Amino acid sequence: MTTYRTHYSTELGLDNLGESVTLAGWVVRPRDHGGVVFFELRDMSGLMQVVVDPSEFPEAEGLRMESCISVTGTVQARPDGMENLDLETGEIDLAATELNVLSVADVLPFMVDDRTESDEVVRLQYRYLDLRRPRMAANLRARSQAIRAIRDTLNDLGFLDVETPTLINSTPEGARDFLVPARMRPGHFYALPQSPQLLKQLLMISGVDRYYQIARCYRDEDQRSDRQIEFTQLDMEGAFWDEEGVWATIEQVVAAVVERLRGVSVEVPLPRLSYTDAMIRYGTDKPDIRFGMEITNLSDVFVGTDFRGFAAVLDDGGTVRGINLGRHEMSRSQLDALVDRAKELGAAGLVWIAINEDGSFRSPVAKFFSDRETKGIVETLSASPGDVLAIVADSQRVVGAVLGEIRLDVGKPKDNDELSFVWVTDFPVFEQTEDGGLVPSHHPFTAPADVDEMRTAPTEATSRAYDLVLNGSELGSGSVRIHDPAIQAEVFEILGIGGDEAHSRFGWFLDALRFGTPPHAGFAIGIDRFVALLQNEKSIREVIPFPKTQTGADPLTTAPTLVADDQLRDVGIDLRPEVKAALAEAESTQAGDRAETLEGSDD
Ligand code: ASP
């Protein structure tokens, strides 16, 4: 038997001086210091400096970075003054007595370290190298720990971990389905689950009282910033409980994850905010409550104002609101940039006011405000000398959207060292689309708070849906579900999925609801986002082992790829003429490019 290793690097320290140990890993930064070769060996635990005498091991001289090796050596203290306190093993190193190059690494596409920033597509193409970087390895470990904390908590609470299939019928969550052709029934398709929503509801009908799953979900949507078409969520559901049961459980789960990854405790119960309050005070249903700068209503201050811009908006039923951006030294051009930003976000304009040290206003429109208005602004926005105020007049929706973004631009902390969770509750049942239609604001299986209200005023009706928000990011959503088939059918009806269509798409589910469905409720947390926030990563791609690019491509495996004609034939598919034409054109352009490159290389 070959002993590749006896220890991991970071298991060793001054206690092991003089011991002979064997480590295995990869070569980092080999350097030749005239007669002595140094390098660090990286393994799963960290780094260990290795010292080699090239007269004994000539192969040490040509050692290539990232080659895979096993080294036996004696643990020795580093000479005085040569310690590296940044390194866990910085007080010792290993004097090699045996060196085994197990596999040589080719020329590297980028430096495998945390200091070098390289192009993300290249990183993804060589993800196996990218994942060797300590930061990425730490992210993988954190992810594994987070999932373990979730499982521990829910298993202790008596939840059952149940797997649900990925080749199913459509489960709508507002995105497009990924379709998989069914070879055994040509012309028919499976849909990959946008979530296990309907399956977990079926489990409640089945008597599985408490369910969870670390579930892979698939949503074929355009890649808005920081989403993945394929992602992982903690999916959970419980019978015979309501909002409070779900919230208390999820609070335990998130507290356990934070404790495991950050070593701090989360104070529960978490704060709650209704959707309406969130929209009014923060202009978003994902409020970042780590900082104040709340949006404040100034309409009362401007009743009967002579300032035309505001008067016209108020006459039209709009609103005037503002935020105190706090003490800032802002130049005129920085202040004017706020106006440009507001316009970019859809407002007609923005009024800025910088409060001078003597309390007077510096603002292009200050002269239009009466004394009463000036005083009203100062009092309502609790303004002090040095503060910068931003005021927008428009419809409530536009004012909220604009000031909500400006609030984030100015106030959002750069890191996630502080964690602020908040439940956002009482979402509307429906949202109105641009063409006046209705779509569910959560999903169509969410219970309305009041069925009569949903019938008579669907656009105003409140649902029993809730979100969990962390530092301004939506961490997860859930709801109390409809368990009465008649009400479920009514919701489909209101959504314009009438009798026959409802029957053909969801008949199987409506049938299931007719067999003694318990009241039930649940939730799902996006694990990728949660881990990214806790690891202070800007993008969820940093905590997903093999993520896709914004266009849904995988530069490593080159997916998605073309398939052979006979594979298509097997599943009864013929590509549409326009698709074939586009492919042929792409092919000829590529052939042209290749020819040009070849010609170029002739010179
Ligand atoms: N199925 C929902 C989602 O994936 C979560 C839930 O309602 O439990 O967002």
Side-chain angles (χ1 to χ4, degrees):
M1 199 184 92
T2 317
T3 304
Y4 291 115
R5 92 173 133 227
T6 57
H7 292 79
Y8 287 105
S9 297
T10 56
E11 286 171 343
L12 300 170
L14 290 173
D15 289 347
N16 306 85
L17 293 186
E19 282 177 35
S20 173
V21 299
T22 305
L23 302 180
W26 290 269
V27 175
V28 180
R29 285 199 319 132
R31 50 217 185 266
D32 197 334
H33 284 188
V36 200
V37 170
F38 289 90
F39 63 87
E40 273 96 38
L41 175 148
R42 182 197 325 104
D43 62 18
M44 204 192 80
S45 74
L47 297 171
M48 171 70 74
Q49 177 164 280
V50 180
V51 189
V52 192
D53 177 352
S55 64
E56 269 181 72
F57 303 105
E59 65 270 38
E61 270 175 324
L63 215 48
R64 300 190 65 99
M65 269 191 288
E66 295 303 323
S67 292
C68 181
I69 54 162
S70 169
V71 186
T72 301
T74 312
V75 178
Q76 59 182 20
R78 293 201 194 185
D80 269 354
M82 302 296 279
E83 298 89 350
N84 177 357
L85 297 180
D86 292 338
L87 213 60
E88 218 180 313
T89 58
E91 290 171 308
I92 55 170
D93 57 24
L94 200 65
T97 52
E98 213 179 307
L99 180 66
N100 260 321
V101 178
L102 303 172
S103 149
V104 176
D106 209 334
V107 177
L108 298 172
F110 49 78
M111 289 295 286
V112 182
D113 62 40
D114 284 344
R115 287 176 299 254
T116 319
E117 283 302 324
S118 29
D119 179 64
E120 197 183 7
V121 175
V122 183
R123 283 179 55 204
L124 293 182
Q125 185 181 349
Y126 297 93
R127 189 62 156 182
Y128 39 88
L129 292 176
D130 192 42
L131 291 177
R132 285 186 195 170
R133 296 162 60 209
R135 170 178 141 210
M136 297 306 283
N139 286 349
L140 282 190
R141 250 196 310 278
R143 187 185 177 99
S144 165
Q145 290 295 324
I147 291 176
R148 185 158 166 207
I150 291 171
R151 289 191 187 283
D152 287 350
T153 310
L154 292 176
N155 291 345
D156 286 351
L157 289 172
F159 277 69
L160 224 60
D161 179 357
V162 185
E163 284 177 86
T164 55
T166 45
L167 294 176
I168 59 165
N169 200 341
S170 176
T171 310
E173 293 279 358
R176 230 182 238 124
D177 285 327
F178 273 102
L179 299 176
V180 179
R183 184 187 54 81
M184 289 180 281
R185 284 185 77 188
H188 292 69
F189 292 83
Y190 302 99
L192 299 181
Q194 294 186 31
S195 84
Q197 183 60 37
L198 292 178
L199 297 158
K200 67 177 169 177
Q201 292 193 239
L202 294 183
L203 289 172
M204 296 301 107
I205 304 174
S206 315
V208 174
D209 203 64
R210 296 283 182 269
Y211 143 92
Y212 84 93
Q213 177 180 198
I214 306 297
R216 194 54 68 82
C217 305
Y218 307 86
R219 298 186 189 174
D220 187 4
E221 51 194 352
D222 294 331
Q223 300 274 278
R224 277 178 285 154
S225 68
D226 212 23
R227 296 234 179 171
Q228 286 277 301
I229 50 180
E230 180 179 356
F231 60 94
T232 309
Q233 66 185 26
L234 158 65
D235 196 50
M236 59 89 89
E237 195 80 9
F240 305 110
W241 66 354
D242 59 13
E243 292 83 342
E244 297 291 342
V246 176
W247 297 347
T249 303
I250 290 295
E251 286 176 355
Q252 287 188 59
V253 168
V254 296
V257 173
V258 171
E259 172 80 51
R260 194 75 65 97
L261 264 54
R262 288 278 184 98
V264 295
S265 51
V266 172
E267 206 179 304
V268 293
L270 300 173
R272 300 171 187 179
L273 196 62
S274 73
Y275 167 85
T276 309
D277 271 356
M279 295 307 285
I280 290 177
R281 288 165 54 188
Y282 301 97
T284 170
D285 57 4
K286 303 190 267 291
D288 190 335
I289 60 164
R290 283 175 295 174
F291 60 104
M293 282 188 202
E294 287 189 23
I295 302 173
T296 308
N297 197 345
L298 291 167
S299 297
D300 286 350
V301 172
F302 290 102
V303 172
T305 184
D306 290 335
F307 181 47
R308 284 222 219 105
F310 288 1
V313 168
L314 289 173
D315 285 348
D316 262 7
T319 179
V320 181
R321 292 180 192 204
I323 32 179
N324 184 342
L325 298 172
R327 224 184 148 79
H328 292 283
E329 297 270 338
M330 285 172 116
S331 66
R332 175 70 196 235
S333 66
Q334 283 172 315
L335 290 161
D336 285 339
L338 292 172
V339 182
D340 296 339
R341 178 80 173 125
K343 287 184 179 159
E344 184 186 299
L345 291 164
L350 173 147
V351 166
W352 56 258
I353 301 166
I355 317 266
N356 293 320
E357 287 309 321
D358 64 1
S360 60
F361 281 12
R362 178 160 70 98
S363 170
V365 299
K367 56 181 176 294
F368 299 113
F369 296 149
S370 69
D371 286 349
R372 190 187 66 82
E373 287 162 358
T374 306
K375 198 157 157 268
I377 294 171
V378 169
E379 273 170 15
T380 316
L381 294 180
S382 311
S384 323
D387 286 350
V388 174
L389 316 178
I391 302 177
V392 174
D394 212 305
S395 66
Q396 183 168 315
R397 191 184 58 76
V398 171
V399 171
V402 171
L403 288 179
E405 282 299 321
I406 287 181
R407 175 179 177 270
L408 292 176
D409 290 350
V410 177
K412 191 171 176 71
K414 300 268 175 292
D415 56 36
N416 292 304
D417 289 347
E418 182 193 337
L419 302 173
S420 281
F421 292 92
V422 57
W423 287 109
V424 178
T425 66
D426 307 296
F427 273 77
V429 184
F430 303 112
E431 271 165 27
Q432 222 150 2
T433 56
E434 266 164 26
D435 57 13
L438 292 178
V439 290
S441 21
H442 186 39
H443 51 54
F445 315 102
T446 297
D450 177 336
V451 179
D452 282 334
E453 186 192 28
M454 178 183 78
R455 287 182 186 129
T456 51
T459 50
E460 274 132 57
T462 310
S463 75
R464 297 178 72 183
Y466 34 79
D467 275 4
L468 182 61
V469 173
L470 170 57
N471 291 0
S473 291
E474 180 192 319
L475 213 55
S477 327
S479 59
V480 173
R481 324 298 185 188
I482 298 167
H483 67 281
D484 176 339
I487 297 174
Q488 184 63 73
E490 243 182 273
V491 169
F492 287 144
E493 193 89 34
I494 295 174
L495 289 170
I497 312 173
D500 281 352
E501 194 191 345
H503 189 78
S504 76
R505 283 178 62 190
F506 300 115
W508 57 277
F509 182 67
L510 289 171
D511 280 350
L513 287 179
R514 294 193 351 251
F515 290 92
T517 302
H520 57 289
F523 200 70
I525 293 188
I527 290 181
D528 309 307
R529 170 123 324 113
F530 195 13
V531 176
L533 286 167
L534 293 179
Q535 291 294 100
N536 254 326
E537 290 289 6
K538 288 208 171 50
S539 158
I540 59 171
R541 294 188 296 278
E542 305 293 359
V543 301
I544 298 176
F546 298 102
K548 301 194 174 40
T549 63
Q550 294 283 327
T551 56
D554 174 7
L556 171 52
T557 66
T558 73
T561 52
L562 294 171
V563 297
D565 273 348
D566 49 354
Q567 279 178 291
L568 287 178
R569 197 176 330 109
D570 280 350
V571 291
I573 289 181
D574 198 5
L575 297 182
R576 295 175 72 85
E578 63 270 24
V579 175
K580 279 188 179 159
L583 286 174
E585 196 183 317
E587 170 89 352
S588 74
T589 322
Q590 268 173 15
D593 288 350
R594 271 196 302 272
E596 245 170 57
T597 324
L598 285 176
E599 265 170 38
S601 65
D602 278 350
D603 304 335

